[in-house]
């Protein structure tokens, strides 16, 4: 804001000298603390809730001006937005990065401008971590670990809660497994892995957890790993295409809810059943209200929570910074998992995202 303010001031002076009228530069008059926020896009319900949380937190009433720029899932747009924030001389920059790589130069430019930066939601991979003050968001590896541990538990106990989904090596297949329409009549667990945007932290770490688990279990295998770019439309497209060639899947591990909704439509079209008593067991990430409803209704087996309400925690970090307090380099928000037995209609109806 400082640099922008002096720019406005000098423009005003220049215009006054020339005898012209200057437009009202209202936000600067109020001396608001300006946050430049480079947002990933609007690809998912999670993202909409995340943007909303920032808008509701950084209000004029509280002394902020939030300049949020939607990158439409394109890192080049993010780099341009951040450079614009530097030119405008905003007071603080918050970046929700589309992907991890490619941030060294622009963050060095931000540092040279003296503007502090927080990385929100996903992470950046840079050679010098001191280029940003803090990284706040989800522990994506833990999310993936919670998902695969749940799946392990279901296959080991043979009590998956949603119909048989596989057996550990050495166990005798039950009648249900042999009769399972989607099973290849062995104890192999075939997983369709629907991945988010390649190179995004949420994709890299949720994928890592599953790949490690597949590696560790002789009888788990990927039916396929396909990218749905975190959108319902793309997921519908790629899953429909996949199912036109192969329908032998036991588990859908989908790296966000919107892709799950697209995959469910594709499975409906292909006549593949899922959920209680169905062929496919669905694991999804985010735990938005709609996904939780599908879970309570028996269509989705496991919702792994990804909390988008990050605005208040980001504000706390910024306040600490402004007050000269030390701030944590890495902040994870608390998250959990839900199966139908954890849910009530009242809980779902009261969920804010
Ligand atoms: O980075 C968080 C992920 O990005 C969420 O899982 C997804 O819905 C969003 O698009």
């Amino acid at each position: 804001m400082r640099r922008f303010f002096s720019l406005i001031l000098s423009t005003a002076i220049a215009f006054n000298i020339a005898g012209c009228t200057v437009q009202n530069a209202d936000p600067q008059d109020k001396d608001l603390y300006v946050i430049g926020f480079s947002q990933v896009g609007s690809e998912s319900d999670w993202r909409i809730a995340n943007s909303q949380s920032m808008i509701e937190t950084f209000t004029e009433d509280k002394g902020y001006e939030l300049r949020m720029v939607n990158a439409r899932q394109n890192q080049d747009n993010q780099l341009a937005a951040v450079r614009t924030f530097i030119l405008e001389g905003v007071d603080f920059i918050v970046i929700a990065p589309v992907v991890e790589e490619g941030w060294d130069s622009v963050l060095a430019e931000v540092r040279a401008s003296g503007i502090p930066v927080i990385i929100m939601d996903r992470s950046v991979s840079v050679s010098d971590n001191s280029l940003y003050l803090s990284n706040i968001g989800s522990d994506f590896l833990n999310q993936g670990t919670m998902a695969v541990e749940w799946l392990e538990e279901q296959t080991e106990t043979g009590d998956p809660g949603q119909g048989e989904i596989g057996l550990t090596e050495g166990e005798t297949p039950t009648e249900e497994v042999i009769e399972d329409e989607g099973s290849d009549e062995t104890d192999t667990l075939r997983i369709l892995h629907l991945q988010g945007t390649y190179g995004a932290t949420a994709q890299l770490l949720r994928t890592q957890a599953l790949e490690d688990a597949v590696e560790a279990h002789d009888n788990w295998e990927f039916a396929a790993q396909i990218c749905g770019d975190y959108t319902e439309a793309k997921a519908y497209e790629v899953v429909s295409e996949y199912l036109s060639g192969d329908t032998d899947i036991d588990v859908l591990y989908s790296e966000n809810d919107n892709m799950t909704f697209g995959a469910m439509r594709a499975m409906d079209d292909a006549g593949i059943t899922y959920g209680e008593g169905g062929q496919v067991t669905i694991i999804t990430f985010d735990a938005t209200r709609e996904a939780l409803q599908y879970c309570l209704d028996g269509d989705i087996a496991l919702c792994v929570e990804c909390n988008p309400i990050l605005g208040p925690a980001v504000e706390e970090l910024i306040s600490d910074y402004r007050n000269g307090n030390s701030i944590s380099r890495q902040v994870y928000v608390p998250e959990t998992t839900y199966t139908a037995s954890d849910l009530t209609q009242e809980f779902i109806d009261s969920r804010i995202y």
Side-chain angles (χ1 to χ4, degrees), residues 43-44 46-47 121-122 140 202 206 230 255-256 286 306:
E43 74 281 7
S44 62
W46 187 100
R47 188 65 55 194
D121 166 27
R122 303 172 186 173
F140 294 109
R206 289 168 181 167
Y230 288 124
E255 291 181 359
N256 91 343
D286 285 354
C306 184

Side-chain angles (χ1 to χ4, degrees), residues 36-247:
F37 172 37
S38 174
Q39 175 61 293
V40 168
S42 46
E43 74 281 7
S44 62
D45 296 342
W46 187 100
R47 188 65 55 194
I48 306 295
N50 178 246
S51 297
Q52 194 56 32
S53 170
M54 291 292 282
I55 291 166
E56 283 168 10
T57 301
F58 294 100
T59 60
E60 261 193 44
D61 286 354
K62 284 155 74 182
Y64 296 106
E65 183 197 340
L66 182 68
R67 295 185 193 165
M68 181 166 72
V69 179
N70 182 332
R72 303 186 188 289
Q73 290 186 274
N74 180 328
Q75 190 187 32
D76 288 341
N77 292 340
Q78 293 209 285
L79 300 178
V82 172
R83 290 190 169 111
T84 301
F85 295 149
I86 296 173
L87 286 174
E88 290 175 347
V90 300
D91 293 300
F92 210 103
I93 293 176
V94 178
I95 301 171
V98 177
V99 290
E100 288 196 353
E101 301 292 336
W103 289 98
D104 288 271
S105 302
V106 79
L107 287 180
E109 290 166 40
V110 176
R111 169 184 278 172
S113 75
I115 301 170
V117 189
I118 284 179
I119 307 297
M120 187 193 72
D121 166 27
R122 303 172 186 173
S123 308
V124 292
S125 171
V126 284
S127 49
D128 176 3
N129 282 343
S130 71
L131 286 170
Y132 56 86
L133 289 176
S134 183
N135 185 183
I136 173 166
S138 296
D139 185 342
F140 294 109
L141 185 60
N142 185 51
Q143 291 177 1
T145 303
M146 289 192 288
V148 298
E149 283 178 357
W150 177 86
L151 188 55
E152 270 165 3
E153 226 172 86
Q154 307 315 303
T155 54
E156 278 163 16
T157 60
D159 177 24
Q162 283 219 320
E164 194 66 71
I165 56 171
L167 293 166
T168 47
E169 213 174 11
E171 279 190 66
T172 312
T174 62
E175 218 171 296
E176 288 85 357
V177 171
I178 292 167
E179 283 172 6
D180 180 355
E181 203 191 324
S183 166
D184 52 6
E185 299 193 5
T186 69
D187 59 358
T188 302
L189 193 72
R190 285 177 54 81
I191 303 166
L192 179 60
H193 181 192
L194 191 47
Q195 296 176 288
T197 306
Y198 289 143
T201 314
Q203 178 272 314
L204 292 167
L205 297 179
R206 289 168 181 167
T207 290
Q208 185 187 322
L210 182 61
E211 287 182 344
D212 288 350
V214 167
E215 182 76 27
H217 294 83
D218 289 344
N219 62 332
W220 290 21
E221 69 179 30
F222 286 113
Q225 292 180 285
I226 48 181
C227 182
D229 212 13
Y230 288 124
T231 71
E232 184 165 340
K234 182 75 180 166
Y236 174 74
E237 185 189 313
V238 296
V239 174
S240 297
E241 194 187 329
Y242 177 76
L243 293 176
S244 67
D246 184 4
T247 57

